[in-house]
Amino acid sequence: GLVASGNGDSLRETAATRKIHETGRWLLLAGVCLQLAVFTVFTVLALTVKFGVKFVYAGTGKFTAVFACLFGTIVCEYVRQIFRVVVYAQGLKGFLATHKRFGVYGFDFAPLLACGLLFCCPHYGWWLGPIAARRATLQQQSVSTSSSRAVLVQDASESADI
């Protein structure tokens, strides 16, 4: 009586709510599978950049730590995404959903922790400072070269006026 009047009656499972829950579970499963597919496309693009002939990274050893961090993160995220697909496929009463310490801590939190630790060590931001400094030096050299050309052109035009 008291629980039902406090909208707790909506928690009771009926045939209609069971169908809605089943539809929601399949939508979640489809969304996680779509996310896994998009992540696979990202993985193919990352491998193409690292090992593709068009890019200067293949065989040069440039950004090796950054790519190792990226590929380690990809492996951890694949473990996590596959875990989520299995959990949603089993439903809320499946083995992984009911054994929290095994599922949530082992396959959901541990990959995230590993990714966080991976990005603490070889962070790509460490390479941005030297690259930005080199780019600024090259731009200054380019500006000084173009300004000296402009002075030469101006001198030549003034001498032609004489």
Side-chain angles (χ1 to χ4, degrees), residues 4 7 9 21 23 44 47 67 72 77 102 115 144-146 148 157 161:
N7 206 15
D9 197 36
H21 290 165
T23 303
V44 169
L47 288 169
F67 279 111
E77 284 301 313
F102 177 70
C115 289
S144 66
T145 304
S146 62
S148 62
S157 65
D161 288 340

Side-chain angles (χ1 to χ4, degrees), residues 92-105:
L92 292 177
K93 296 180 182 176
F95 178 79
L96 291 176
T98 57
H99 293 79
K100 297 285 185 196
R101 68 174 172 232
F102 177 70
V104 173
Y105 302 133

Side-chain angles (χ1 to χ4, degrees), residues 127-140:
W127 283 277
L128 293 180
I131 290 172
R134 183 167 180 239
R135 184 177 295 135
T137 303
L138 291 174
Q139 286 175 347
Q140 286 176 345

Side-chain angles (χ1 to χ4, degrees), residues 23-105:
T23 303
R25 185 172 74 91
W26 284 108
L27 283 172
L28 276 171
L29 186 60
V32 172
C33 287
L34 179 65
Q35 186 178 8
L36 191 59
V38 170
F39 195 68
T40 301
V41 170
F42 169 76
T43 302
V44 169
L45 290 174
L47 288 169
T48 302
V49 168
K50 173 60 179 159
F51 299 110
V53 179
K54 288 182 180 181
F55 301 96
V56 296
Y57 303 116
T60 62
K62 292 181 181 179
F63 293 103
T64 302
V66 174
F67 279 111
C69 180
L70 176 66
F71 295 136
T73 302
I74 286 172
V75 168
C76 290
E77 284 301 313
Y78 265 118
V79 168
R80 187 170 182 257
Q81 291 299 327
I82 291 169
F83 163 74
R84 294 178 133 218
V85 168
V86 171
V87 167
Y88 289 132
Q90 288 180 349
L92 292 177
K93 296 180 182 176
F95 178 79
L96 291 176
T98 57
H99 293 79
K100 297 285 185 196
R101 68 174 172 232
F102 177 70
V104 173
Y105 302 133

